Amino acid sequence: MTQTTEAAEAVQKPRTSRRHRIHRAWFVAAVTFVTIIGAAAFRSLPGLLINPLHQEFHWSRGTIGLAVSINLALYGLTAPFAAALMDRFGIRRVVAIALIVIALGSGLTVWMTAVWQLLLCWGLLVGLGSGSMALAFAATVTNRWFTTRRGLVTGILTAASASGQLIFLPLLSWIVTEHDWRPAAVTVSLAALAVVPFVWLLLRDHPADVGQKPYGATEFVEKPPPVPGAARRAVTVLLSAVRTGPFWLLAGTFAICGASTNGLIQTHFVPAAHDHGMPITAAASLLAVIGVFDVVGTVASGWFTDRFDPRRLLAVYYALRGVSLLFLPMLLAETVHPPMIFFIVFYGLDWVATVPPTLALCREQYGEDSAIVFGWVLASHQIGAALVAFLGGVARDTFGSYNVVWYASGALCAAAALMALVIRRRRPAAAVLAV
């Protein structure tokens, strides 16, 4: 009888392993990835529209840059409130509404004839919608659904924005060149709407909704009750965080990150390259290549963050980015040549590699409030981006080139590298008790 039981158990063990299924958290991460890709479509468009809008409406580049800056600022300032709203109403509802707002703002631009309409549609509506699906969305999903592999998942979800850029930039640049800018805006609107059914049908707010533990957790985690007063909580968390030194260092470094990526390269690289005779489609294709290598760099950064000191990773990333920006004015030309390709690959690997270590430091410093704190840190990222989006256009109108902006951004990146090294690590509670 005993031998029979042992034999039965021996047979059953391999069957159990064969029946092992992929954890639901990975499906939620996949839906989040696709959602962020859809939201990234509109963020691919601004740099392509500066010249067409300037030619059609005779608006200055500074004026168009102001609309981009409003969009970028709201993208960041909305994030902490969106994270709190997700705690109150659920991820699925907030994200679905945000996608609809993006589609509305993008679609309405085809009828605009005045600057205030550009500021309303391109700046306000799309800024609010995209901000609700900013990286705070990725942070919320990661914190709820994953206990282990958080750095890797953060890197993958951060790379989704670059993947959206990769998918839409070549298409949108072709549409703008061949069919004007309005069909491109409609394409973005339809892309945002197409993602809504996936979010509503497949995304879930918490592992407890499907009776599972978070990935890597040893115990079942009950779904927390809705947190009322979303706006009040976001502000309360901010008031608590601003009393700490790490918050200002993280916010400062991330502001420089936004200034040197979204505000500078994403907004002004295409018109800057066009100033040197490069066709718009070629310049947009180079940005798409940045998107390719950004995926690689961000996922790798997530892997590194799980294993190395995130402060040192940030210092290396910012230092390398600063050096590359100092060389960019010498590389812009009519045609794409090997040194420019090297810059694009190098810059792509470093584009948002800063996100996983920054989020890891927020999680280490602020625990359960880390998603909201990261939302405020992201707000500083977008404020930095907004300032350079506007000032870059003003500099181009004033000096006739972008050179001063490239050099200033390179110097700022060097300062960010030093700031990252100053951040003090918080020791784990277990280590403190052991001492």
Side-chain angles (χ1 to χ4, degrees):
M1 191 70 175
T2 303
Q3 292 179 349
T4 304
T5 303
E6 291 176 352
E9 290 177 352
V11 172
Q12 288 175 358
K13 285 182 180 179
R15 286 180 182 173
T16 301
S17 62
R18 284 197 298 269
R19 290 176 182 174
H20 177 71
R21 291 190 244 177
I22 299 175
H23 195 283
R24 181 65 177 266
W26 293 109
F27 291 103
V28 172
V31 174
T32 305
F33 186 90
V34 173
T35 303
I36 296 175
I37 286 178
F42 193 88
R43 297 181 61 209
S44 303
L45 197 55
L48 302 178
L49 298 190
I50 290 179
N51 285 333
L53 293 178
H54 174 69
Q55 293 169 4
E56 179 173 340
F57 298 106
H58 305 291
W59 297 333
S60 70
R61 291 177 177 83
T63 299
I64 300 170
L66 177 61
V68 178
S69 69
I70 292 173
N71 178 291
L72 293 173
L74 286 176
Y75 177 86
L77 292 172
T78 304
F81 295 97
L85 285 172
M86 289 176 189
D87 289 340
R88 175 66 179 88
F89 298 105
I91 299 173
R92 184 169 59 168
R93 292 179 183 176
V94 173
V95 172
I97 292 173
L99 284 165
I100 294 172
V101 171
I102 288 177
L104 180 65
S106 178
L108 288 176
T109 57
V110 301
W111 290 290
M112 68 180 179
T113 56
V115 170
W116 70 266
Q117 296 166 343
L118 173 68
L119 301 179
L120 173 65
C121 296
W122 193 348
L124 180 63
L125 292 178
V126 178
L128 290 174
S130 58
S132 298
M133 292 182 301
L135 295 175
F137 168 40
T140 301
V141 170
T142 304
N143 289 349
R144 290 187 183 183
W145 282 89
F146 292 86
T147 299
T148 59
R149 307 291 185 187
R150 282 178 168 176
L152 177 62
V153 175
T154 300
I156 293 172
L157 295 182
T158 302
S161 179
S163 299
Q165 178 176 290
L166 164 65
I167 292 170
F168 288 103
L169 256 179
L171 173 64
L172 293 176
S173 64
W174 178 81
I175 293 174
V176 170
T177 302
E178 299 294 328
H179 302 286
D180 197 20
W181 62 270
R182 288 178 177 84
V186 173
T187 300
V188 168
S189 181
L190 295 176
L193 286 177
V195 182
V196 174
F198 291 95
V199 170
W200 194 254
L201 296 175
L202 301 177
L203 193 62
R204 291 294 179 268
D205 294 327
H206 196 276
D209 290 340
V210 292
Q212 289 191 339
K213 299 179 291 185
Y215 181 83
T218 56
E219 297 179 356
F220 184 81
V221 178
E222 294 288 343
K223 183 178 180 179
V227 181
R232 183 174 64 254
R233 184 182 176 214
V235 174
T236 301
V237 170
L238 173 64
L239 293 176
S240 175
V242 295
R243 297 188 182 98
T244 64
F247 174 82
W248 292 106
L249 291 170
L250 288 169
T253 56
F254 224 40
I256 294 172
C257 178
S260 56
T261 53
N262 301 81
L264 183 64
I265 298 296
Q266 186 169 346
T267 304
H268 293 294
F269 178 80
V270 171
H274 190 60
D275 284 347
H276 288 75
M278 185 179 293
I280 290 178
T281 52
S285 297
L286 289 177
L287 277 185
V289 174
I290 285 180
V292 176
F293 287 94
D294 181 28
V295 174
V296 178
T298 309
V299 174
S301 178
W303 188 86
F304 289 142
T305 301
D306 286 332
R307 291 161 175 80
F308 301 105
D309 186 343
R311 299 172 306 166
R312 295 181 181 179
L313 291 176
L314 286 177
V316 171
Y317 297 156
Y318 285 122
L320 293 177
R321 182 184 299 178
V323 170
S324 66
L325 284 173
L326 295 177
F327 282 96
L328 181 57
M330 296 179 283
L331 303 178
L332 292 169
E334 294 182 5
T335 59
V336 179
H337 48 85
M340 173 59 77
I341 294 176
F342 178 80
F343 168 83
I344 292 297
V345 173
F346 187 86
Y347 206 85
L349 291 172
D350 191 52
W351 181 267
V352 286
T354 56
V355 172
T358 300
L359 181 52
L361 288 170
C362 285
R363 190 180 296 120
E364 174 187 295
Q365 296 285 341
Y366 303 104
E368 294 181 355
D369 291 330
S370 61
I372 296 177
V373 173
F374 181 71
W376 285 113
V377 171
L378 178 63
S380 71
H381 180 282
Q382 295 308 115
I383 290 172
L387 286 173
V388 172
F390 172 64
L391 294 176
V394 172
R396 171 61 178 81
D397 291 334
T398 303
F399 301 109
S401 75
Y402 287 98
N403 287 354
V404 65
V405 185
W406 306 132
Y407 295 136
S409 297
L412 285 174
C413 288
L418 296 175
M419 292 166 64
L421 293 175
V422 177
I423 299 173
R424 296 181 63 181
R425 299 293 302 274
R426 171 169 289 187
R427 302 171 66 185
V432 174
L433 292 175
V435 175

